[in-house]
Amino acid sequence: MNPTILVTGGAGYIGAHACVTLIAAGFTPLVLDNLCNSSAESLRRVGRITGVEPRLIVADIRDAQALDALFAAQPVAAVMHFAGLKAVGESTRDPLRYHDNNVAGSIGLLQAMQRAAVRTLIFSSSATVYGEPGFEQFREDMRCDPVNPYGRGKWMIEQMLGDLAASEAGWRIAALRYFNPVGAHASGLIGEDPRGAPDNLMPAITQVAVGRLPKLRVFGGDWPTPDGSGVRDYIHVMDLAEGHVAALRHLLAHDPTLLTLNLGSGHGISVLQMLRAFEQVLGRALPCEIVARRPGDIAAYWADPTLAANVLGWRTQRDLHAMCRDAWRWQQANPRGYASA
Ligand SMILES: NC(=O)c1ccc[n+]([C@@H]2O[C@H](COP(=O)([O-])OP(=O)(O)OC[C@H]3O[C@@H](n4cnc5c(N)ncnc54)[C@H](O)[C@@H]3O)[C@@H](O)[C@H]2O)c1
């Protein structure tokens, strides 16, 4: 019997890709998602890719009864906890909604895990927990001082995980700090499908390419970086998903532990470099305009991925070209995302 892994938020962008890698690695994903930012179509597509459509329970992580029923109905070997709201700007406008969904939601999930004696967890954290440490390369032992409610929520949850692991024996926890996930499964069947205007660079680029947006707005051309645009560490979503399977295998095979790991490539790519790489894949230039910096953005950062390499034996495999090629394949085949189906 393949061990069952509860995947909260599994219908979303990263969660659906994680389901593909879990199935390929011999696990059975069981998805719990309230579909507030996703559609069940993503899981039907996972079924087309893998031959196994993950079971979906449409419920909220704040619904204790639904969680208790789920844990009572089958043995669960571990939880991958992706469910959360993720728009930084929105979190500054509506912090209570973010803390209720992300922080209180995580507390509810952890309490249900405790009641069910399921103590293996992989948590979606974020590079936003670091804030502005004054260094460009972020390492796990740096002081965290997030600068917005979204990042503060992730940091609160990480601290709570530390308290929990210290208070009760048996917890196996990995808090994975993602850098900037982009790209899509190479089939083009699943990918990033933001509702409303995209908040991130890659969906903005692909939506310009497909004609949904008139031009790309580049926020700031006067950053202290080689070409003046912001620099980030982009990671192919399939590399990220494989990092989760590596973390899961590690947790299941080792003594109880609390790991905090960066998942990034270790390389900084500028917005304009990303745009040029995408244009090469596309075979034409895209309209773009440099506009004012966005409040809260910083010039440049990227991951130090050494710890994840040493602990998990995992590192990124897919390059910038693959990120652009796969993102474009997805958007071209699904110009309106899953609603194109
Ligand atoms: N995409 C990124 O750039 C990025 C970077 C760092 C961290 N993360 C984190 O990774 C996780 C997954 O991100 P994603 O990009 O796949 O986002 P996503 O919005 O595509 O997926 C999140 C999923 O969680 C579900 N969800 C949200 N709140 C829920 C709740 N209360 N109960 C049940 N389901 C709920 C949504 O419907 C969605 O399917 C999030 O926790 C996010 O904060 C994302």
Side-chain angles (χ1 to χ4, degrees):
M1 267 279 285
N2 293 344
T4 295
I5 310 299
L6 170 61
V7 185
T8 75
Y13 171 45
I14 304 168
H17 289 81
C19 286
V20 170
T21 54
L22 280 170
I23 293 165
F27 296 96
T28 299
L30 168 61
V31 172
L32 180 132
D33 199 305
N34 66 3
L35 304 180
C36 70
N37 196 38
S38 55
S39 88
E41 176 62 19
S42 63
L43 298 177
R44 288 192 278 279
R45 305 283 185 96
V46 170
R48 279 170 63 189
I49 294 169
T50 62
V52 182
E53 183 178 324
R55 204 176 126 220
L56 167 65
I57 296 172
V58 179
D60 196 290
I61 48 168
R62 292 163 293 185
D63 181 342
Q65 275 187 349
L67 287 172
D68 286 345
L70 181 156
F71 284 119
Q74 63 264 294
V76 170
V79 177
M80 283 191 184
H81 177 30
F82 296 98
L85 303 175
K86 62 167 181 177
V88 168
E90 200 177 60
S91 80
T92 61
R93 290 190 295 276
D94 200 352
L96 294 183
R97 179 167 161 246
Y98 267 67
H99 292 325
D100 182 39
N101 195 84
N102 294 2
V103 181
S106 296
I107 293 174
L109 174 67
L110 290 166
Q111 287 171 330
M113 290 176 68
Q114 206 169 34
R115 288 192 292 274
V118 174
R119 295 196 189 87
T120 304
L121 172 76
I122 296 182
F123 170 60
S124 299
S125 191
S126 162
T128 53
V129 297
Y130 291 105
E132 300 171 28
F135 298 91
E136 293 184 324
Q137 188 168 46
F138 290 0
R139 219 179 51 200
E140 291 87 347
D141 57 3
M142 280 177 176
R143 207 175 130 259
C144 289
D145 190 9
V147 295
N148 53 59
Y150 167 75
R152 275 191 282 275
K154 293 288 184 192
W155 179 227
M156 285 181 222
I157 299 163
E158 280 199 20
Q159 290 174 293
M160 205 157 61
L161 295 174
D163 292 340
L164 181 60
S167 72
E168 187 181 22
W171 283 91
R172 294 175 161 81
I173 298 176
L176 303 180
R177 294 177 177 167
Y178 312 161
F179 281 65
N180 292 65
V182 294
H185 186 265
S187 63
L189 283 167
I190 55 174
E192 189 169 7
D193 183 20
R195 295 198 173 164
D199 215 34
N200 299 333
L201 175 61
M202 185 62 100
I205 293 179
T206 59
Q207 290 196 12
V208 174
V210 86
R212 275 172 71 178
L213 288 176
K215 64 184 170 202
L216 180 72
R217 294 194 309 150
V218 176
F219 298 105
D222 56 353
W223 293 104
T225 58
D227 64 20
S229 67
V231 169
R232 296 290 179 272
D233 182 334
Y234 294 96
I235 171 171
H236 194 294
V237 66
M238 287 303 293
D239 280 330
L240 185 64
E242 287 165 6
H244 284 69
V245 170
L248 176 64
R249 287 205 165 113
H250 180 92
L251 292 181
L252 293 175
H254 287 81
D255 287 341
T257 182
L258 171 64
L259 295 172
T260 302
L261 299 171
N262 286 341
L263 293 188
S265 73
H267 306 291
I269 303 283
S270 78
V271 171
L272 293 177
Q273 275 177 306
M274 179 63 94
L275 177 61
R276 301 293 165 245
F278 188 86
E279 288 172 337
Q280 277 201 340
V281 166
L282 189 66
R284 62 185 160 94
L286 290 176
C288 112
E289 183 190 6
I290 311 253
V291 298
R293 295 178 180 186
R294 268 190 312 201
D297 273 352
I298 60 177
Y301 65 83
W302 54 87
D304 181 339
T306 313
L307 193 58
N310 290 345
V311 175
L312 305 179
W314 168 92
R315 47 177 60 76
T316 58
Q317 307 286 335
R318 296 162 180 88
D319 62 9
L320 188 56
H321 176 79
M323 296 178 203
C324 295
R325 180 198 63 205
D326 295 340
W328 179 227
R329 189 179 290 128
W330 150 254
Q331 188 76 81
Q332 202 176 14
N334 305 273
R336 307 211 71 79
Y338 293 113
S340 320

